[in-house]
Amino acid sequence: MLVRDGKPVAIGGRALDVLIALTGRAGEVVSGRELIDLVWPGVFVEEANLRVHIAALRKVLGDGKDNVRYVVNVPGRGYTFVAPVRRSGAGGGTASIAAPASTARSPNFPTPLQLLVGRTETVATMSSLLLSRRFVSVIGPGGIGKTTVAVAVGNALRQEFGDDAVCFVDLGSLTDPADVPSAVASALGCFVQGPDHEPYIRAFLADKRILIVLDNCEHVIETAAQLCARLFHAAPSVHLLATSREALRVEGEHVQLLMPLDSPPDETPTAVQALASPAVQLFMERAAASGHHAQLSDTDAPIVAKICRRLDGIALAIELVASRVGTHGIQGTAGLLESGAGLLLPGWRSAVPRHQTLQAMFDWSFRLLSTDEQRVLCRLSVFVGNFTLAAAHAVAGGKIQTVTSAIASLVDKSLMRVVPTSGLTHYRLLDTTRAYAAAKLAEDGQAVAAERGHASYFTGLLKQGMAKGSAFDGHNVAVHAPHIDNVRKALAWSFSSLDDRSLAIELAALAVPLFLGLSLLDECQQWCRRALCALREADHGTRWELELQGALAMSSMYSRGNSLEVRAGIERGLELSEILQDGRHQLQLLSGLYIFLMRQGEFSGALAAAKRNAAVAKASGGPIENAMTEWMLGGSYHLTGNQAAALRHCKQGSKLASDFRLGRVSFFGHDHHVSGLATLARSLWLCGFPDQGCKVARQGIKTAQSHDHPVSSCISLIYLVPVFHWSGDFRAAQEYTEIVIEQATKYSLAPYRAVGLALKGELMVAHGEASSGVATLRAALKAMDADQYRIVTLPTRRALAEGLAHSGQSDEALATIVEAVARAEQVGEILWLPDLLRAQGEILLMQPRPDLATAERILLRSLDCAHKQSALSWQLKAAIPLARMWKEHGRGKDARSVLEDIYRRFTEGFETRDLVTARRFLEELSSTD
């Protein structure tokens, strides 16, 4: 019977049974299922029936009147009786029923994961910090693993605090912030006698050394933060570990940001390399749990690495996606993610609702945002990768202060990340967050407006760069490089929208120099072609067409070879630049014409283009343009066989560069400073200064590599590797040759890869691998012919002829070198003629029945041609086989005379290959006199 003040109180039988069950375990949380089993033993009853009787009980007790509480619901856990309870004893006295005051009850602390991937060091660090600082908050975006780490820290510290002194409070199921103290009291086993829980909690904890873990504070953060602050000061032996998507921002708190799991840095890792990263380890562990038992292969490793990078190392996202691998396989799962299904992939049914899909996780976070924060988050989803605050203001719209405050709040709530840079602060949405916000933006019908604002902003940004003079051809490319992903997205949207074709054309014309500066040649061609096709009648003859024509010609020349389309694009650009009186573009395009003709092997035409460029530079150029002109003249004189003039102009270009402290001098995507150093190194070697030539060659390579520009790097190497080869430094030549091939392959620079193969083939012949070298040289020549890249065709044919001779194919060797000599004489490629004639003479001497008279005549002619070029080193190279032939046929004095006369004219390089060979032969000749 239930009585109040000695009078019976009307109450239903089931309600009374509920009351008896709760008071029997006063202060404890009793689950709904336990109550049902106690009140209706052996009978199946829905929890709805229990709630009806709880409500009746509360009404009878007057629960809530005058702020007195009796039965409190702990969301997600059950019910607890919180009023004082006394039971009459046998002698008529009473005893208070409450939790013992001396020790905390054994808490229901979660079991840690058996496999804690990538967080061992984090757990150790946080455990140490928690012991020394007492109050630590683990902060990070949803699904990153905050709860997992907190549970691991709690279990790691059980020995420190004792099993009964580590308490876990799950705030995730609360809907009312006012219930936070009740949830904490219940988890602690603290008996509360009244509506205000906090005084009882403080008193309960006053003399206890205990660790309290408060999980999922973000949605009740104000109440949780204040409670933690007061407990921290009131209970000096209490240690607090909170998890939240934003900091609690109260005194005493030490914030620890939980970083994403590391993914493989390499885009194409092997299986072993991929499995060294925690993200891939977690992926494969969860894939195995889903039924995928195959080992990670080298083929699948890059796919898994890409998935983990795309999921930003978020543990929950990785687990959800990996759980589909058992059904769809690794490649099929990657396809699901690409299709946008990633947000809806289901996870464990036992997980809390907000962790069962990524969609649910983001819905939870999104609902906690203010209206302004929701709007800004959705608008900023149009960005790809990093963006600045100025870009965010332009796209988000609204008041600047409102947007700035919203961004700061989104960063605090772990929905946006600050990206450390050396300049302006950049922000970034995680890819999964961006996908969710983009879907919300589309639902609201605001996507088009946001995309247009995004495209307009980057059009304006690139226009500012162009206003400062071709900002993407020099060192300033680094300023705009971080925006390349957003520029791509803006271009894709602009050309997909039929509303504003002019915006698409303008953006493309402004963007293609950036693609060139970053050596993204295929993309440059793609956008140039789309924009040129989209030109309206009024757009022809404008600056936009000029920019697009020049960029298309440049990118096509470097990636696809020297086609008629390239020549036509350059000529059309020159025509437009003259009409528009655009001196800068005129110099760019004349540089392009010069490079095109050089690559075609039309060296006389290239010299004419260089002289034409000199006239324009003199009229409208500055130090950069004049230095460029000197290097162009030096390069063309070098290839037309005037090494003295080449040296003079290259040195003058270098003097201008030094006097005016010029860095990279790039026109038409060609670094003239680097090519000028290459020409200077080659001319120095040819003129008899091999040590200086090698020194300048190393300087040229170092300069090119410092610019971090693949085209410049490849150009420097293909011109400078021969200097090391000529000097006998085969190790350096081989090392740099492999770099050329690797970079040219990576960046789709087909002509330079062909030259790299040619250099490799020549080195193979020099190392005695004649047959393999011949095969490589044939492949290189075939590729050069396909790309119409003829600048080094003749030396490659000379190397092929030598390889054929050394492999015993004497007839083909002789035919090949004779054809090369004829070609050089026909087109006026004077530079290579002395070395071609030297090779022809040596191959004649290697014939089964050598024609000595013809060989002597050819070698003497080689000496004469080299002398006319001021190429002392090639004179020596030809004199060595001539002297050997004369010695073998009784003309020792003539042999010594011709070789000694040339050798004595050298002032350096005496340890290089040809000079060492000449010295030893002279010593041999002297010993036989």
Side-chain angles (χ1 to χ4, degrees):
M1 178 183 295
L2 179 66
V3 297
R4 175 182 287 149
D5 299 329
K7 297 180 181 180
V9 176
I11 185 172
R14 294 297 185 189
L16 181 59
D17 289 341
V18 171
L19 177 60
I20 292 170
L22 288 173
T23 55
R25 294 170 61 179
E28 295 185 33
V29 178
V30 184
S31 71
R33 180 47 54 190
E34 285 182 279
L35 277 175
I36 289 172
D37 290 342
L38 289 169
V39 177
W40 291 277
V43 180
F44 177 78
V45 177
E46 295 282 354
E47 287 207 25
N49 290 335
L50 174 63
R51 289 195 291 271
V52 170
H53 292 290
I54 291 284
L57 175 61
R58 282 172 169 162
K59 184 176 181 180
V60 168
L61 295 175
D63 196 316
K65 290 182 180 179
D66 300 322
N67 291 323
V68 177
R69 297 299 307 273
Y70 292 93
V71 180
V72 172
N73 174 35
V74 180
R77 299 189 62 195
Y79 302 90
T80 181
F81 195 85
V82 296
V85 176
R86 293 181 183 275
R87 184 170 294 136
S88 297
T94 61
S96 175
I97 300 176
S102 59
T103 61
R105 73 179 183 86
S106 298
N108 182 22
F109 201 88
T111 303
L113 294 177
Q114 291 183 349
L115 182 64
L116 188 67
V117 179
R119 298 299 193 198
T120 304
E121 186 177 342
T122 300
V123 169
T125 300
M126 288 190 183
S127 298
S128 177
L129 184 65
L130 190 57
L131 289 174
S132 62
R133 299 298 185 181
R134 289 184 49 227
F135 183 9
V136 175
S137 294
V138 185
I139 307 303
I144 202 168
K146 300 184 294 295
T147 300
T148 299
V149 168
V151 169
V153 170
N155 277 278
L157 294 177
R158 276 185 176 277
Q159 187 173 359
E160 175 72 27
F161 288 93
D163 286 344
D164 292 337
V166 180
C167 177
F168 186 84
V169 185
D170 182 7
L171 302 178
S173 58
L174 301 184
T175 56
D176 186 350
D179 289 333
V180 170
S182 171
V184 173
S186 175
L188 287 168
C190 170
F191 184 66
V192 176
Q193 303 182 36
D196 189 357
H197 293 67
E198 192 172 323
Y200 293 91
I201 297 172
R202 289 203 301 268
F204 181 81
L205 295 173
D207 59 349
K208 291 181 176 61
R209 186 170 187 267
I210 189 170
L211 168 60
I212 304 173
V213 179
L214 294 101
D215 192 35
N216 297 303
C217 296
E218 57 270 0
H219 64 301
V220 290
I221 196 162
E222 294 295 335
T223 306
Q226 295 304 318
L227 178 61
C228 285
R230 289 192 286 267
L231 291 180
F232 178 74
H233 291 291
S237 295
V238 168
H239 292 64
L240 300 167
L241 178 61
T243 74
S244 176
R245 299 185 188 186
E246 61 178 306
L248 275 60
R249 296 201 296 275
V250 292
E251 187 178 353
E253 177 190 30
H254 289 266
V255 174
Q256 284 290 102
L257 295 176
L258 189 58
M259 303 306 293
L261 294 172
D262 288 335
S263 297
D266 190 358
E267 291 187 3
T268 56
T270 63
V272 172
Q273 292 169 336
L275 286 168
S277 72
V280 173
Q281 291 173 27
L282 178 62
F283 184 96
M284 293 308 297
E285 192 270 335
R286 290 296 180 261
S290 75
H292 178 79
H293 300 300
Q295 297 293 319
L296 182 64
S297 67
D298 288 343
T299 301
D300 286 337
I303 301 173
V304 174
K306 183 179 179 181
I307 290 173
C308 292
R309 281 194 296 270
R310 180 166 181 174
L311 297 173
D312 298 297
I314 303 297
L316 176 63
I318 291 171
E319 290 182 6
L320 292 173
V321 173
S323 70
R324 300 294 96 194
V325 173
T327 303
H328 301 283
I330 288 176
Q331 296 192 29
T333 301
L336 284 176
L337 196 59
E338 291 289 341
S339 69
L343 288 173
L344 299 174
L345 292 177
W348 302 112
R349 290 187 175 90
S350 57
V352 295
R354 67 179 181 279
H355 282 177
Q356 288 185 357
T357 66
L358 290 178
Q359 178 84 32
M361 181 185 78
F362 284 118
D363 284 341
W364 164 272
S365 296
F366 194 75
R367 284 194 294 267
L368 298 177
L369 301 178
S370 69
T371 302
D372 284 334
E373 290 167 353
Q374 290 179 351
R375 181 182 64 81
V376 170
L377 177 66
C378 291
R379 282 272 184 157
L380 298 185
S381 68
V382 299
F383 288 105
V384 179
N386 301 343
F387 55 89
T388 63
L389 188 60
H393 285 152
V395 171
K399 294 181 179 179
I400 290 178
Q401 186 58 47
T402 301
V403 174
T404 302
S405 298
I407 288 174
S409 181
L410 291 169
V411 170
D412 288 343
K413 294 174 179 177
S414 304
L415 287 169
M416 189 179 295
R417 185 180 296 170
V418 176
V419 181
T421 60
S422 57
L424 291 173
T425 299
H426 284 73
Y427 301 88
R428 179 178 180 267
L429 294 179
L430 299 180
D431 284 352
T432 45
T433 306
R434 185 172 66 84
Y436 174 85
K440 286 286 187 183
L441 184 68
E443 288 176 12
D444 294 341
Q446 297 297 312
V448 172
E451 294 281 11
R452 180 174 287 108
H454 177 265
S456 297
Y457 171 78
F458 284 102
T459 300
L461 183 71
L462 295 175
K463 190 179 291 185
Q464 290 176 10
M466 292 296 289
K468 297 175 183 177
S470 193
F472 311 120
D473 285 328
H475 65 277
N476 285 333
V477 73
V479 175
H480 293 85
H483 304 300
I484 187 64
D485 287 333
N486 279 299
V487 170
R488 286 187 179 113
K489 186 171 188 293
L491 282 166
W493 178 83
S494 298
F495 279 99
S496 68
S497 172
L498 301 176
D499 296 338
D500 194 351
R501 189 190 301 181
S502 61
L503 176 64
I505 293 169
E506 182 180 10
L507 179 58
L510 292 166
V512 289
L514 177 58
F515 285 106
L516 284 172
L518 294 172
S519 298
L520 300 171
L521 305 181
D522 288 340
E523 286 187 75
C524 183
Q525 291 172 67
Q526 171 193 341
W527 295 116
C528 284
R529 294 183 197 282
R530 290 190 67 171
L532 286 169
C533 289
L535 289 177
R536 297 164 299 191
E537 190 64 34
D539 297 319
H540 289 282
T542 64
R543 182 184 175 187
W544 303 139
E545 187 194 357
L546 170 59
E547 196 72 60
L548 292 165
Q549 290 283 8
L552 178 60
M554 189 191 312
S555 56
S556 298
M557 181 172 70
Y558 286 123
S559 63
R560 300 183 184 278
N562 308 304
S563 64
L564 293 176
E565 179 189 43
V566 173
R567 181 72 179 259
I570 293 173
E571 296 291 358
R572 173 61 177 163
L574 281 169
E575 178 187 351
L576 290 172
S577 64
E578 290 174 6
I579 293 172
L580 297 170
Q581 297 182 336
D582 189 332
R584 180 175 67 86
H585 272 94
Q586 197 172 357
L587 288 168
Q588 286 265 19
L589 290 159
L590 282 170
S591 171
L593 181 60
Y594 161 82
I595 297 162
F596 176 83
L597 293 170
M598 291 280 271
R599 290 160 61 100
Q600 285 268 329
E602 297 180 29
F603 301 136
S604 297
L607 179 58
K611 291 178 177 179
R612 186 177 167 190
N613 190 86
V616 178
K618 184 177 181 180
S620 59
I624 290 178
E625 290 76 17
N626 284 294
M628 177 192 74
T629 297
E630 293 294 336
W631 284 320
M632 288 169 63
L633 288 167
S636 49
Y637 278 124
H638 168 64
L639 289 168
T640 52
N642 189 340
Q643 305 310 320
L647 268 179
R648 185 173 67 253
H649 284 289
C650 286
K651 286 180 176 179
Q652 179 61 22
S654 297
K655 184 177 184 303
L656 284 169
S658 176
D659 290 347
F660 291 94
R661 297 182 179 180
L662 304 180
R664 185 172 174 223
V665 181
S666 176
F667 280 77
F668 210 77
H670 183 90
D671 192 328
H672 288 276
H673 191 179
V674 169
S675 65
L677 289 171
T679 301
L680 179 59
R682 288 158 64 104
S683 296
L684 283 166
W685 190 92
L686 287 171
C687 289
F689 305 103
D691 288 345
Q692 292 182 56
C694 288
K695 181 180 178 181
V696 174
R698 289 189 171 86
Q699 179 189 347
I701 291 172
K702 184 178 179 181
T703 300
Q705 291 177 338
S706 71
H707 294 160
D708 193 24
H709 190 267
V711 171
S712 297
S713 180
C714 285
I715 288 174
S716 71
L717 290 171
I718 64 174
Y719 280 116
L720 292 173
V721 163
V723 176
F724 297 112
H725 191 165
W726 297 339
S727 300
D729 189 349
F730 294 123
R731 178 178 296 179
Q734 188 166 358
E735 175 187 344
Y736 290 130
T737 296
E738 293 300 329
I739 293 173
V740 171
I741 295 171
E742 178 186 349
Q743 289 197 342
T745 302
K746 181 177 180 180
Y747 292 98
S748 302
L749 302 172
Y752 299 144
R753 184 178 184 278
V755 178
L757 289 175
L759 295 170
K760 183 174 184 177
E762 186 172 2
L763 284 167
M764 293 168 78
V765 171
H767 280 96
E769 303 172 31
S771 297
S772 299
V774 164
T776 303
L777 287 162
R778 290 191 197 278
L781 282 166
K782 184 178 179 180
M784 289 182 205
D785 186 59
D787 293 321
Q788 300 184 54
Y789 190 87
R790 302 189 178 96
I791 194 169
V792 293
T793 299
L794 290 180
T796 303
R797 291 192 181 280
R798 185 261 310 150
L800 174 61
E802 290 174 329
L804 289 166
H806 285 292
S807 62
Q809 303 176 64
S810 56
D811 289 343
E812 187 179 356
L814 185 58
T816 300
I817 194 64
V818 168
E819 181 184 347
V821 170
R823 171 68 182 172
E825 292 173 329
Q826 178 185 353
V827 299
E829 290 195 34
I830 306 302
L831 168 65
W832 306 114
L833 192 55
D835 205 36
L836 292 171
L837 290 167
R838 186 270 314 160
Q840 183 180 359
E842 289 197 273
I843 290 171
L844 281 167
L845 293 173
M846 293 172 68
Q847 297 294 303
R849 295 181 179 180
D851 184 344
L852 299 179
T854 302
E856 180 183 37
R857 178 174 56 80
I858 294 295
L859 289 170
L860 286 170
R861 188 179 172 207
S862 173
L863 280 170
D864 182 58
C865 288
H867 175 71
K868 289 177 180 177
Q869 286 195 29
S870 305
L872 181 63
S873 292
W874 271 351
Q875 284 182 265
L876 179 66
K877 202 172 181 69
I880 292 171
L882 179 63
R884 280 201 178 117
M885 183 184 72
W886 282 349
K887 175 184 177 292
E888 290 173 2
H889 292 83
R891 298 175 59 185
K893 290 184 178 179
D894 291 336
R896 179 176 177 180
S897 175
V898 69
L899 191 57
E900 195 170 49
D901 177 62
I902 296 171
Y903 183 83
R904 286 179 175 176
R905 287 154 59 191
F906 281 89
T907 58
E908 64 176 60
F910 294 107
E911 297 306 316
T912 57
R913 180 182 56 174
D914 291 339
L915 283 164
V916 168
T917 301
R919 182 175 69 247
R920 289 174 179 171
F921 190 46
L922 284 170
E923 290 170 354
E924 181 184 334
L925 288 169
S926 296
S927 67
T928 58
D929 284 350

